[in-house]
């Protein structure tokens, strides 16, 4: 497995998104998936306090890594609403509380990458960064990152860290895949300016870039897209538009022409982008873990990257 850098951390080029833990997967199933990931060279595990019914993902991941903590780089996130509207955000008070809760659920005394899950316009970023600085000084957190920030917000946070001489965000985790490339306009340039690594989430477009969904047919019950289409809060249902399905058909054929799967193409294309440290697809079975991990095996040439970009119309 190739590796990438998130600040001082070395991580597998393909990681594992843990949002299925505690929701679609129980404790035993989670352990099976985590062990499969380690077996296939995946070392980065990405979770959040809200995943798995508000905390279960962290609990299940921590249990699965018991006795194996030194084999894993663990990232988690804070800031989205946990139980009520005071248990959220980027205030110093909540950062101090949230990290202790995550450490307890994970069963560890340190978090490798602690990420602010979403911007909080009600709290100055100076306050959040200072609170995170204290966690780094205390040894509870090794590196800090952000998620769902705009390019301007990344620039602002970087400037504050430089001005205050405090630890800076070393990563930005944002929605990014072959069908959703908006962050190339402002987020990735800001990451390049500030030296942040990019961590794409939803790299398979809620399963559309696996090729398993067919035009005019309902997604299989229990699949990711089945969940998306029944969730009024998500915008991901747009992935099933005819234009996207046409692109998927062409990408699938391109992958087949190169002896690869569509999943391998989608993940390897992201992994080849200059600022990307690790790609974090989710998985609900060891079979899916293996399929995802193979995306790190294909080192695409510049010509192939250009050809794939042309297919997507970008």
């Amino acid at each position: 497995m190739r590796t990438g850098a998130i600040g001082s951390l070395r991580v597998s080029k393909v990681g594992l998104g843990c949002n299925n833990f505690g929701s679609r997967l129980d404790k035993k199933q989670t352990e099976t998936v985590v062990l499969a990931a380690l077996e296939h060279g995946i070392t980065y595990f990405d979770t959040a306090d809200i995943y798995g019914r508000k905390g279960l993902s962290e609990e299940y991941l921590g249990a699965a890594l018991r006795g194996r903590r030194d084999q894993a780089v663990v990232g988690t996130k804070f800031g989205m609403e946990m139980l009520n509207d005071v248990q959220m955000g980027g205030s110093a008070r909540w950062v101090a509380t949230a990290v202790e809760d995550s450490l307890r659920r994970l069963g560890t005394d340190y978090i490798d990458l602690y990420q602010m899950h979403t911007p909080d316009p009600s709290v100055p970023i100076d306050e959040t960064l200072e609170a995170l600085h204290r966690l780094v000084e205390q040894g509870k957190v090794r590196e800090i990152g952000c998620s769902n920030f705009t390019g301007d917000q990344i620039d602002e946070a970087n400037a504050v860290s430089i001005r205050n001489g405090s630890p800076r965000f070393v990563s930005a985790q944002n929605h990014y895949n072959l069908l959703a490339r908006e962050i190339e306009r402002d987020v990735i340039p800001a990451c390049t300016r500030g030296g942040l690594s990019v961590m794409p989430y939803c790299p398979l477009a809620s399963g559309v870039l696996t090729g398993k969904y067919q035009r005019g047919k309902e997604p299989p019950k229990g699949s990711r897209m089945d969940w998306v289409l029944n969730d009024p809060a998500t915008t991901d249902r747009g992935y099933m538009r005819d234009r996207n399905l046409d692109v998927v058909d062409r990408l699938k054929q391109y992958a087949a022409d190169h002896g690869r799967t569509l999943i391998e193409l989608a993940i390897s294309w992201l992994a080849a982008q200059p600022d990307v440290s690790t790609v974090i697809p989710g998985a609900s079975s060891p079979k899916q873990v293996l399929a995802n991990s193979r995306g790190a095996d294909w080192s695409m040439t510049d010509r192939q990257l250009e050809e794939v970009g042309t297919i997507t119309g970008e």
Side-chain angles (χ1 to χ4, degrees), residues 275-286:
D275 294 290
V276 169
S277 54
T278 184
V279 183
I280 45 176
S284 58
S285 69

Side-chain angles (χ1 to χ4, degrees), residues 1 11-17 37 42-46 267 277-282 289 292-293:
M1 174 70 72
V11 296
S12 53
K13 202 67 175 175
V14 176
L16 179 64
I42 291 174
T43 60
Y44 180 70
F45 297 84
D46 190 86
I267 291 176
S277 54
T278 184
V279 183
I280 45 176
V289 170
N292 294 340
S293 70

Side-chain angles (χ1 to χ4, degrees), residues 10-297:
R10 294 302 303 183
V11 296
S12 53
K13 202 67 175 175
V14 176
L16 179 64
C18 302
N19 57 317
N20 287 323
F21 300 172
S23 55
R24 297 177 66 190
L25 301 183
D26 63 22
K27 190 173 183 179
K28 182 60 178 177
Q29 291 168 324
T30 294
E31 182 179 24
T32 300
V33 168
V34 169
L35 293 181
L38 291 171
E39 179 185 349
H40 294 300
I42 291 174
T43 60
Y44 180 70
F45 297 84
D46 190 86
T47 186
D49 53 10
I50 65 163
Y51 291 170
R53 303 189 187 97
K54 311 285 178 80
L56 275 183
S57 175
E58 289 181 327
E59 287 186 26
Y60 289 179
L61 176 61
L65 289 176
R66 196 160 295 136
R68 309 178 182 93
R69 180 65 179 88
D70 61 342
Q71 300 176 41
V73 178
V74 175
T76 192
K77 299 182 281 294
F78 72 93
M80 290 192 176
E81 183 177 345
M82 284 294 287
L83 300 176
N84 55 59
D85 61 6
V86 298
Q87 292 182 304
M88 62 185 296
S91 70
R93 177 199 57 79
W94 178 240
V95 170
T97 299
V99 73
E100 295 298 337
D101 290 344
S102 287
L103 287 168
R104 172 179 49 79
R105 286 189 292 260
L106 287 164
T108 186
D109 56 5
Y110 69 97
I111 293 166
D112 295 293
L113 178 65
Y114 200 40
Q115 303 156 90
M116 189 174 184
H117 208 160
T118 188
D120 182 356
S122 70
V123 175
I125 192 64
D126 304 59
E127 178 179 339
T128 306
L129 288 168
E130 179 56 34
L132 292 171
H133 185 181
R134 286 194 288 273
L135 299 184
V136 173
E137 289 184 323
Q138 294 164 1
K140 296 176 180 178
V141 169
R142 295 177 65 190
E143 296 282 11
I144 61 173
C146 61
S147 180
N148 299 308
F149 275 46
T150 66
D152 287 344
Q153 289 166 333
I154 290 170
D155 284 336
E156 179 188 6
N158 198 47
V160 168
S161 291
I162 292 172
R163 184 178 71 236
N164 295 342
S166 61
R168 62 183 181 84
F169 289 143
V170 298
S171 62
Q173 186 176 144
N174 285 67
H175 192 171
Y176 187 29
N177 59 58
L178 276 166
L179 300 179
R181 298 175 59 180
E182 293 82 4
I183 73 166
E184 293 176 350
R185 300 189 185 103
D186 70 325
V187 171
I188 289 182
C191 289
T192 301
R193 288 191 295 272
L196 286 73
S197 73
V198 177
M199 303 166 62
Y201 71 77
C202 203
L204 299 178
S206 293
V208 173
L209 285 169
T210 67
K212 65 184 177 183
Y213 303 129
Q214 298 181 33
R215 194 189 311 269
K217 293 187 177 181
E218 291 293 319
K221 291 296 180 184
S223 66
R224 175 73 178 174
M225 187 51 65
D226 177 52
W227 175 81
V228 164
L229 293 178
N230 287 284
D231 180 8
T234 185
T235 59
D236 288 357
R237 62 178 57 85
Y239 281 134
M240 294 293 285
R241 292 194 302 265
D242 284 345
R243 187 265 177 191
N244 283 339
L245 295 178
D246 289 341
V247 169
V248 167
D249 287 342
R250 293 196 292 273
L251 290 172
K252 190 173 183 179
Q253 184 59 56
Y254 184 91
D257 290 344
H258 290 78
R260 300 284 183 167
T261 67
L262 179 57
I263 292 173
E264 290 168 11
L265 182 151
I267 291 176
S268 62
W269 184 88
L270 284 171
Q273 302 309 305
D275 294 290
V276 169
S277 54
T278 184
V279 183
I280 45 176
S284 58
S285 69
K287 182 179 179 181
Q288 289 182 357
V289 170
L290 174 59
N292 294 340
S293 70
R294 286 175 173 163
D297 296 338

